[in-house]
Amino acid sequence: MAKAKITFEDIEQTVNVPAGTRVIEVSEKIGAGIIYGCREGDCGTCMMHVTEGWNNLTEPSVLEEKVLKENMAGRHDRLACQAQILGDCTVKPT
Amino acid sequence: MRGIAVSRSIDVSAHRQAVEFADGVYWIGALDPTLRSFDIILTTANGTTYNSYLVKGSDGVAVIDTVKENFSDEFFARLESEARYEDIKVIVLNHLEPDHSGALPELMRRAPQAQLYISQRATSMLKALLHGDENLPYTTVTTGDSVSLGDRTLQFLHTPFLHWPDTQCTYLEEEGILFSGDVFGCHYCDKRLFNDLVGDFRFSFDYYYAHIMRPFKKHVMDALKLIEPLKLSQIAPTHGPILRERPRRYVTHYRELSTSSLSQGIGSDEQSMIIFYMSSYGNTARMAEAIAEGAGDVDGVRVSLYDLEGGETDPFVDLIEEADALLFGSPTINGDAVKPVWDLLSSLAVVNLKGKLGAAFGSYGWSGEAVRMIEDRMRGLKMHIPRSGMRVKLIPTAEELEACHAFGLEIAEVLVGKSGSGGVIDFADLA
């Protein structure tokens, strides 16, 4: 299975994951500082900033785009409960 | 009909009129003296008030916050005593919790021309609260935005997480009045309404802070940076007395409450590691001691050992709030961690643990689930668990105690940054 590396900048931790893993699945297990609310892409609590590898996450859905907009997301902000890891990337809490 | 002017013998429970407390600025809220518990998490021995305000300008009227829905009659009666619905130009909701947004749909129905001003974060809540009224028009505002009422201006302050993501404050520049939402509020119902006339509400003020604002101390500090430079003649919160006499002392008090609650016993160059444990046969206790010794070998870490059997939850919560690393040791009994551990771990909603280091350990007889369960709980509290917990079957051997020593040392090194949690780990190795 294809692998990818995700780095959590706040705790300086990199994890090798199977491609397609959602960021939430990793960040919660290693205790990164991204915080979660509804876990289903509705509340915007888990907004994170992608510092590297923006294109290595799945495209945001229409729903995610809407929630990002409502929460005044910056250009490379994503919802950690929605974004799936496709290739190497680095993220941190907003 | 004119609003009631303020005198020392004020009794707002005796009428349903607006109460003018600055030129053209009125309280139009409601009293809830019999409420005895609020939001499940607070007791309210003195009931509460839902404060709503009305500001008259040369070019229209503003209503700031509304009341809980079943108090709408009182709110509308007070509003009508002083203003006509067609004159309402502006409605501000500083916070969308139902005790402040309850009368909003009806207010907007009666004043359809009014523009609603809320924070950006409030938009999704507005929709979730007003099912069926989802097309209510609104404008989102943040720090630096203002709205004019002709000769008066309402400025907005972006003060999120006090105590919801949506919270903001509104400042009436010309009068120096801060409509602070739940900030500086308290559940204290007194028909005399003003801080210099009501009974002694100091306990209620601090109790409210402890249960509502304390988890958000960092955000309180951020908000104070916006509030402290303001000229303040009065603070008008959404619950409890209007703070018209020496309002600035409440601002100062918030800063005090948001700084360390324990006296400074730990140096600023030291990290505090607290090890809590319970032990039935002394095995988990011996592990705790070995872990403490190991951690104590690392410079810059102050280690404290607490037997949960001899403590009470509240002081432990204070201790936990100040600590940098928290270790919990529990034996596994009937497949679970023991109750005193859960009691403490379920009492931490009032403090912010995000990013603190955590670890678990314990002795067990045949399965040892407690350690993993405690780790899961700590993750749920947004703590960082850099190492998998230490489990020992029944009585720890000398080698196992040595491993406990090394475990304590390793966690302490992560704490002082000697051994980063860094490196690359595999997803499959995560617990």
Side-chain angles (χ1 to χ4, degrees):
Chain A
M1 187 186 289
K3 287 275 194 181
K5 279 196 185 69
I6 178 164
T7 301
F8 295 91
E9 214 168 281
D10 59 329
I11 57 167
E12 295 172 13
Q13 180 75 63
T14 301
V15 188
N16 265 323
V17 299
T21 307
R22 280 179 200 272
V23 176
I24 181 173
E25 295 173 58
V26 198
S27 89
E28 287 207 301
K29 280 194 169 156
I30 64 165
I34 300 166
I35 55 172
Y36 295 91
C38 71
R39 292 154 199 277
E40 52 189 27
D42 193 41
C43 72
T45 308
C46 66
M47 197 152 77
M48 61 174 181
H49 186 67
V50 187
T51 49
E52 275 174 56
W54 163 251
N55 291 318
N56 290 335
L57 293 166
T58 48
E59 293 275 320
S61 65
V62 175
L63 182 70
E64 185 184 340
E65 291 277 19
K66 182 168 157 281
V67 173
L68 286 170
K69 190 162 160 266
E70 278 176 0
N71 287 282
M72 295 185 292
R75 207 159 71 86
H76 286 173
D77 292 343
R78 291 292 304 272
L79 298 184
C81 73
Q82 298 297 301
Q84 290 169 270
I85 306 152
L86 299 176
D88 295 357
C89 58
T90 302
V91 301
K92 65 176 188 185
T94 51
Chain B
M1 187 190 291
R2 293 292 300 169
I4 301 287
V6 173
S7 72
R8 286 205 68 80
S9 58
I10 180 173
D11 176 0
V12 298
S13 69
H15 60 79
R16 287 189 160 201
Q17 289 178 288
V19 178
E20 187 170 19
F21 62 98
D23 185 27
V25 183
Y26 305 81
W27 175 82
I28 52 168
L31 305 179
D32 188 358
T34 59
L35 185 82
R36 288 296 172 265
S37 121
F38 187 89
D39 268 7
I40 306 169
I41 58 170
L42 290 114
T43 52
T44 48
N46 302 85
T48 194
T49 66
Y50 310 106
N51 297 336
S52 172
Y53 301 99
L54 189 133
V55 179
K56 286 185 175 176
S58 60
D59 189 25
V61 166
V63 174
I64 302 175
D65 295 312
T66 76
V67 299
K68 202 171 175 176
E69 191 177 6
N70 44 342
F71 291 82
S72 297
D73 288 352
E74 185 175 342
F75 162 72
F76 285 118
R78 292 191 199 275
L79 191 159
E80 285 164 18
S81 77
E82 199 53 49
R84 295 180 311 170
Y85 292 110
E86 56 265 38
D87 293 334
I88 299 174
K89 180 186 175 192
V90 169
I91 298 170
V92 177
L93 275 201
N94 284 324
H95 175 31
L96 265 73
E97 203 171 353
D99 54 328
H100 308 300
S101 61
L104 178 72
E106 179 60 20
L107 177 62
M108 294 199 71
R109 211 178 53 74
R110 296 185 188 192
Q113 75 291 342
Q115 185 61 241
L116 173 64
Y117 293 86
I118 56 176
S119 74
Q120 179 73 41
R121 279 286 181 88
T123 55
S124 60
M125 292 169 187
L126 184 71
K127 287 169 195 158
L129 284 164
L130 307 178
H131 295 303
D133 291 302
E134 289 184 6
N135 294 321
L136 281 183
Y138 59 81
T139 303
T140 59
V141 287
T142 187
T143 304
D145 292 337
S146 61
V147 58
S148 171
L149 299 172
D151 56 349
R152 333 186 97 168
T153 313
L154 294 174
Q155 295 180 355
F156 300 100
L157 305 178
H158 180 56
T159 54
F161 292 103
L162 301 178
H163 58 121
W164 275 19
D166 65 318
T167 49
Q168 64 176 1
C169 296
T170 302
Y171 180 61
L172 178 58
E173 199 181 336
E174 293 77 7
E175 298 290 336
I177 298 175
L178 182 71
F179 301 98
S180 57
D182 280 350
V183 184
F184 308 120
C186 63
H187 291 309
Y188 189 87
C189 182
D190 192 312
K191 60 194 180 185
R192 293 165 291 187
L193 205 60
F194 295 94
N195 66 326
D196 53 315
L197 302 181
V198 300
D200 187 344
F201 67 103
R202 287 174 294 184
F203 165 78
S204 305
F205 190 88
D206 285 12
Y207 178 80
Y208 186 90
Y209 177 92
H211 286 79
I212 300 285
M213 299 297 165
R214 184 178 176 183
F216 305 103
K217 282 183 174 180
K218 186 184 148 293
H219 297 284
V220 171
M221 290 301 218
D222 289 343
L224 291 177
K225 280 183 212 150
L226 293 176
I227 292 168
E228 281 168 344
L230 301 174
K231 176 176 78 79
L232 288 177
S233 67
Q234 305 196 46
I235 297 175
T238 43
H239 294 291
I242 295 171
L243 310 171
R244 65 175 182 183
E245 191 214 38
R246 296 173 60 208
R248 195 160 289 282
R249 71 181 148 149
Y250 298 94
V251 179
T252 308
H253 191 46
Y254 252 51
R255 186 166 276 284
E256 289 162 1
L257 290 170
S258 301
T259 44
S260 174
S261 58
L262 295 179
S263 57
Q264 290 296 322
I266 301 275
S268 57
D269 54 345
E270 282 183 310
Q271 301 283 319
S272 171
M273 175 190 283
I274 314 279
I275 304 176
F276 293 102
Y277 68 93
M278 280 292 284
S279 195
S280 45
Y281 291 101
N283 298 325
T284 301
R286 289 169 67 195
M287 292 178 73
E289 283 157 15
I291 291 168
E293 274 175 29
D297 285 349
V298 176
D299 281 345
V301 177
R302 182 82 75 96
V303 186
S304 330
L305 207 52
Y306 284 93
D307 185 345
L308 284 173
E309 204 169 0
E312 287 172 29
T313 299
D314 283 353
F316 280 157
V317 172
D318 293 343
L319 201 58
I320 285 171
E321 185 180 31
E322 301 294 324
D324 303 294
L326 299 165
L327 278 63
F328 287 88
S330 171
T332 298
I333 297 181
N334 294 341
D336 200 352
V338 294
K339 188 169 180 294
V341 172
W342 289 131
D343 286 346
L344 185 53
L345 284 170
S346 64
S347 303
L348 301 176
V350 295
V351 293
N352 180 12
L353 302 181
K354 186 179 162 188
K356 289 187 196 290
L357 280 194
F361 61 93
S363 160
Y364 66 97
W366 63 94
S367 48
E369 292 91 339
V371 168
R372 297 283 175 264
M373 294 168 101
I374 293 169
E375 286 176 340
D376 281 347
R377 173 63 181 147
M378 288 195 284
R379 286 192 191 99
L381 292 166
K382 305 179 182 73
M383 292 174 63
H384 173 39
I385 316 297
R387 296 287 182 272
S388 257
M390 176 63 65
R391 299 190 300 166
V392 165
K393 192 165 171 98
L394 294 169
I395 300 172
T397 62
E399 292 76 36
E400 284 168 333
L401 287 176
E402 198 50 49
C404 288
H405 189 280
F407 179 73
L409 186 122
E410 228 178 305
I411 303 281
E413 284 187 335
V414 174
L415 186 58
V416 295
K418 268 190 198 159
S419 149
S421 50
V424 180
I425 51 174
D426 204 80
F427 188 58
D429 294 335
L430 293 172

